[in-house]
Amino acid sequence: MWASKWVGMIGSIVWGFTGMTTGYAVPPQESSQLAVPPAVYEEIQVKRPDVTGDGRPDVVTLLGKRFAADSPYYDRLKVMVQDPIAKKTSFFTTTYGGYQPQMSFCDFTGNKAKQILVQAPTGGSAGTSDYYLFSNKDNNPVILPIPKSLTITGSYQDNYKVQLGIKETNQTTILDLSDRRKMYEEAGIYKDGKLQQPTEVMPNTFSVLAPIDENGDGICELKGIQRVSGVANADTIAYVESIWKWDKNGWKLQNAKVKKADR
């Protein structure tokens, strides 16, 4: 069977993600070599895109092992790719688990096959996720890098202003937060518009990293969104959006922009 409710794996074909920015080919295993695995991993999602590039659907299954039987958190995630024509199976393993993980598919590199993007929400109050990108062109499993989140800095100024900077683009944006003056005055951050002590913003990593096809050419870019907190994590003051395009062996930043958050 190409998909089952509970699926395990044979360790010799697991590819472990170690944070490297370049991947290594892992020989796929013939399906006839697969033994019946222990019932450890749960089937989370099954999709049928063409990820091998032969023009026919493959079976891609996202698998997870729960932290505990009644836990919503999966502490281990694996992606199983089954090519029913070549009768080959490949596995990928993520570094971390997550809550409600999911896969999306698009051709990011222009190699005429879709890559597998896995999102694994961390469950923290920052609303961030871990992301993984896998390629299985011609049944050659490779881990591709993910864009690094932008380096965002900023500080509060007098008169309820915040100056945000993006290192990668050398952009500076001034946010007017005077609509929050009552909250900031009550919290002692300002007094009559005068900043009472130095206060830095708190940028987060990607809360969103999603495929988009900006040019309509069938090759996707990645759109990232980073949330910026002000005086507290719940005080969202801005979102920084970035567009990334694959260029040979890595991601190239196309543009970035700051959007003030609504209260």
Side-chain angles (χ1 to χ4, degrees):
M1 295 179 63
W2 289 100
S4 59
K5 180 62 180 175
W6 298 90
V7 186
M9 60 163 289
I10 296 175
S12 62
I13 57 175
V14 173
W15 175 259
F17 181 78
T18 59
M20 297 182 181
T21 57
T22 57
Y24 294 88
V26 179
Q29 187 167 357
E30 296 291 341
S31 59
S32 60
Q33 295 176 287
L34 295 177
V36 177
V40 174
Y41 284 87
E42 175 182 344
E43 179 184 291
I44 301 172
Q45 186 182 25
V46 181
K47 295 292 184 179
R48 289 171 172 79
D50 174 20
V51 296
T52 58
D54 64 358
R56 299 180 177 90
D58 302 298
V59 182
V60 184
T61 306
L62 178 61
L63 307 166
K65 182 172 75 68
R66 291 185 186 270
F67 176 75
D70 58 350
S71 174
Y73 180 76
Y74 296 94
D75 62 356
R76 295 291 175 87
L77 298 173
K78 301 183 189 300
V79 175
M80 178 174 67
V81 180
Q82 295 167 302
D83 183 343
I85 303 301
K87 293 183 170 56
K88 292 183 179 180
T89 300
S90 304
F91 283 87
F92 299 96
T93 302
T94 65
T95 309
Y96 306 106
Y99 295 87
Q100 298 180 320
Q102 60 181 353
M103 301 181 293
S104 56
F105 304 88
C106 201
D107 180 4
F108 297 102
T109 65
N111 69 357
K112 309 302 180 182
K114 293 183 178 180
Q115 288 82 55
I116 307 162
L117 179 67
V118 176
Q119 176 186 12
T122 62
S125 59
T128 59
S129 295
D130 292 319
Y131 293 89
Y132 308 90
L133 187 61
F134 305 128
S135 170
N136 203 47
K137 171 73 170 176
D138 299 324
N139 288 297
N140 178 34
V142 174
I143 293 177
L144 299 177
I146 288 292
K148 293 183 179 180
S149 52
L150 296 174
T151 305
I152 303 165
T153 57
S155 59
Y156 278 72
Q157 312 290 328
D158 287 343
N159 299 316
Y160 317 103
K161 299 289 198 304
V162 167
Q163 180 173 294
L164 285 184
I166 302 175
K167 178 181 178 181
E168 288 77 4
T169 59
N170 200 31
Q171 291 173 244
T172 299
T173 302
I174 303 296
L175 298 178
D176 183 352
L177 301 179
S178 56
D179 56 339
R180 308 179 191 216
R181 71 175 68 194
K182 182 178 179 181
M183 178 183 72
Y184 288 159
E185 292 277 349
E186 291 176 350
I189 307 300
Y190 286 96
K191 183 176 181 180
D192 298 327
K194 182 72 174 178
L195 186 68
Q196 297 303 288
Q197 60 183 9
T199 304
E200 304 294 319
V201 302
M202 296 179 285
N204 293 282
T205 57
F206 290 120
S207 55
V208 174
L209 197 59
I212 61 169
D213 185 359
E214 280 208 315
N215 301 317
D217 58 2
I219 300 176
C220 283
E221 293 77 30
L222 278 172
K223 179 179 180 178
I225 299 178
Q226 294 173 244
R227 186 173 67 89
V228 181
S229 297
V231 298
N233 189 49
D235 180 31
T236 303
I237 61 173
Y239 294 96
V240 178
E241 297 183 358
S242 54
I243 302 295
W244 304 82
K245 188 175 182 62
W246 184 265
D247 182 22
K248 295 181 180 178
N249 296 312
W251 293 97
K252 184 176 181 181
L253 178 63
Q254 302 299 292
N255 59 71
K257 60 183 176 182
V258 176
K259 290 187 175 181
K260 180 186 172 184
D262 295 328
R263 283 198 60 188

